Amino acid sequence: MTTITESINQPLALTGGPKAVTRDPQDILDWPIVTPEDEQAVLDVLRAGSMSGTDVTRRFEAEFAAWEGTAFALAHCNGTAAIQAAMWAAGVRRGDEVICPSMTYWASGLPALTLGATVVWADIQRDTLCLDPASAAERVTGRTKAIVVVHYAGYPADMDPIMALAEARGIKVIEDVSHAHGGLYHGRKLGTIGHVGAMSIMSGKALPAGEGGLLVTDDRQIYERAILWGHYARHGDLTITELLAMSGLGRPQAASGVPIGGVKGRINQLASAMGRVQLKHYDRRNAEICKAMNYFWDQLDGTPGVRAHRPPRDSGSAMGGWYTARGLYVAEELGGLPLARFCEALTAEGCPAGPGANMPLHLQAFNEVDIYGDGQATVLANATRDVRAPAGSLPVSEAINDFCFGVPWFKRYRPEIIDEYVAAIKKVAAHADALKA
Ligand SMILES: *Cc1c(COP(=O)(O)O)cnc(C)c1O
């Protein structure tokens, strides 16, 4: 067996040396983990012929709210629908602005356009990859109705300054927890700190249920508004007079509710059934992911050119799920070696790695596209000012390919396998001079 030190001293695989990663990865990268328990739960729903019911879903929601620690959880057909509902429930309306980090999946921000509102893109912090509170503060105007915070790649965003900023201005904070289920910020569970949390439970996410989403909140107004928005069959749950009036219930012609949003957010009960099983095992699986990823990064501590993407020890904050696990890169410590070349060498060692993360959203084509026939770009048609962020305006997001790279997302704690990936990174860092030549 080759030790990490021996491995480092061999020539790079890129230049004809032996690969650092040679073992069978087994199931260490596999996800989601589906067992006969998931299969049975899904079969039960199929055999009961109740894919479109809500009994399994209501059980899932009750269990999810208990796990999350919120008064309410409302399941949705996907994370995008949950985020759109959260925005409307937070009061986002025509002409309003929603601040959102540029470095995220599109669904964190784009649903604002469907509400007649617009997105104001903000920058991220280099070490956390999450919304930079200072950048958000610079972009607040009288029209800002909500701030979306994304706990990017599992990292808990710096919520305290964002909540302080929001509370002072009467702005709602929506936490997008799609990357970070079960993570902690100063001891508090992600999704419970803002006014409302929304998250995907799509099959690739840390908490996987096929396709689905959750909206979580302690605020009954927000919960009931989300029901009114997209859950027509559940208008019977409404208690708030104003919302009841909007639902049309009580009027003779309205036998059942009509969703105010003209959208349907209901989750398929097959996904709810799988979600219940996945949730039951989630804390244990997340703990193993954390153990494996922390073991990986602990060994890389002090390696020139690379930094872990995780909160400091003893901060009371913890990664959740490590979805789309990232590493940070410091080219200056490797004589300016470009990250793309570093990743090429890593991939040759058997550790697939690529620079970057999501594409910065503020530079995407929908800056120009006229979605609703306004005769001008929708982002402008919905706004009272030019909200577009030109190239150069969000420098950290734009530099993502220079300082951030994908690392293996370990789901199992198998040190002898993880060691080989550690060796690959240490080896490439040790041979950086050879790569530059
Ligand atoms: C996946 C994802 C979503 C959207 O969820 P879907 O279930 O795919 O609709 C939203 N935000 C982030 C950050 C995501 O990664």
Side-chain angles (χ1 to χ4, degrees):
M1 191 194 133
T2 322
T3 65
I4 292 179
T5 318
E6 285 162 4
S7 193
I8 293 170
N9 291 329
Q10 289 169 330
L12 289 171
L14 199 61
T15 59
K19 287 185 177 205
V21 180
T22 57
R23 282 167 185 269
D24 176 358
Q26 301 171 3
D27 55 357
I28 196 167
L29 299 170
D30 293 355
W31 201 253
I33 296 172
V34 176
T35 71
E37 196 182 355
D38 299 87
E39 294 168 9
Q40 190 58 50
V42 168
L43 272 176
D44 288 347
V45 174
L46 272 177
R47 289 179 179 153
S50 66
M51 284 81 82
S52 295
T54 57
D55 53 327
V56 179
T57 296
R58 283 177 186 270
R59 256 176 261 152
F60 178 41
E61 289 169 346
E63 289 157 6
F64 198 89
W67 174 81
E68 179 71 38
T70 49
F72 307 105
L74 186 63
H76 286 76
C77 50
N78 54 46
T80 308
I83 291 168
Q84 188 201 38
M87 285 181 179
W88 190 77
V92 174
R93 299 289 182 270
R94 186 171 302 286
D96 288 340
E97 296 176 7
V98 175
I99 294 174
C100 179
S102 176
M103 183 51 50
T104 183
Y105 182 68
W106 54 263
S108 304
L110 288 199
L113 299 184
T114 69
L115 303 175
T118 200
V119 194
V120 176
W121 302 110
D123 214 349
I124 54 166
Q125 296 168 315
R126 233 183 140 94
D127 50 345
T128 70
L129 306 178
C130 300
L131 180 64
D132 179 349
S135 178
E138 281 166 18
R139 284 161 178 80
V140 168
T141 71
R143 295 206 170 252
T144 307
K145 196 54 72 71
I147 298 174
V148 177
V149 179
V150 183
H151 304 293
Y152 198 85
Y155 200 112
D158 193 6
M159 294 301 292
D160 285 342
I162 294 165
M163 293 309 294
L165 169 71
E167 301 286 3
R169 307 287 294 256
I171 296 167
K172 297 290 189 209
V173 173
I174 300 170
E175 289 180 77
D176 181 345
V177 197
S178 302
H179 289 191
H181 310 80
L184 298 176
Y185 175 73
H186 297 168
R188 300 168 72 188
K189 203 163 210 168
L190 303 181
T192 67
I193 305 161
H195 301 91
V196 53
M199 70 198 83
S200 174
I201 51 170
M202 187 271 277
S203 51
K205 305 291 161 87
L207 181 60
E211 293 287 343
L214 264 311
L215 177 149
V216 292
T217 185
D218 282 330
D219 184 331
R220 177 171 281 282
Q221 271 280 350
I222 288 180
Y223 171 66
E224 292 200 15
R225 282 183 190 164
I227 290 175
L228 179 61
W229 176 254
H231 297 265
Y232 70 95
R234 295 171 66 163
H235 285 187
D237 292 356
L238 299 175
T239 63
I240 297 169
T241 313
E242 174 205 348
L243 302 182
L244 268 169
M246 285 176 88
S247 80
L249 277 182
R251 283 186 227 143
Q253 70 272 30
S256 68
V258 173
I260 284 297
V263 297
K264 183 176 163 183
R266 184 165 69 211
I267 189 172
N268 184 324
Q269 290 214 117
L270 299 172
S272 293
M274 180 173 173
R276 291 185 69 203
V277 176
Q278 291 289 323
L279 182 63
K280 197 166 104 185
H281 297 289
Y282 184 67
D283 284 339
R284 188 174 41 79
R285 288 176 183 161
N286 182 35
E288 185 162 2
I289 292 174
C290 287
K291 190 173 177 189
M293 294 302 300
N294 281 321
Y295 174 79
F296 171 72
W297 283 121
D298 284 349
Q299 296 204 82
L300 286 164
D301 202 27
T303 306
V306 296
R307 297 278 188 287
H309 177 239
R310 61 176 174 179
R313 261 188 218 97
D314 307 322
S315 59
S317 296
M319 299 287 278
W322 300 74
Y323 175 72
T324 187
R326 299 288 115 182
L328 304 175
Y329 184 70
V330 188
E332 305 82 77
E333 292 181 0
L334 297 178
L337 178 70
L339 177 55
R341 185 83 174 134
F342 180 84
C343 288
E344 193 190 341
L346 256 185
T347 303
E349 295 296 338
C351 174
N358 283 101
M359 299 259 287
L361 286 166
H362 69 285
L363 303 178
Q364 301 278 305
F366 54 78
N367 266 343
E368 289 96 49
V369 72
D370 175 7
I371 306 166
Y372 300 110
D374 292 298
Q376 61 176 324
T378 298
V379 285
L380 298 179
N382 284 355
T384 53
R385 64 192 180 95
D386 190 346
V387 295
R388 291 173 301 184
S393 61
L394 303 179
V396 184
S397 300
E398 290 172 34
I400 194 81
N401 290 344
D402 300 331
F403 74 88
C404 171
F405 66 109
V407 297
W409 182 21
F410 300 114
K411 322 300 190 310
R412 309 278 191 172
Y413 178 67
R414 308 220 196 290
E416 63 294 348
I417 297 177
I418 297 172
D419 282 351
E420 291 197 332
Y421 293 88
V422 170
I425 294 179
K426 284 183 181 276
K427 183 180 171 189
V428 173
H431 292 262
D433 281 348
L435 282 169
K436 275 190 301 161

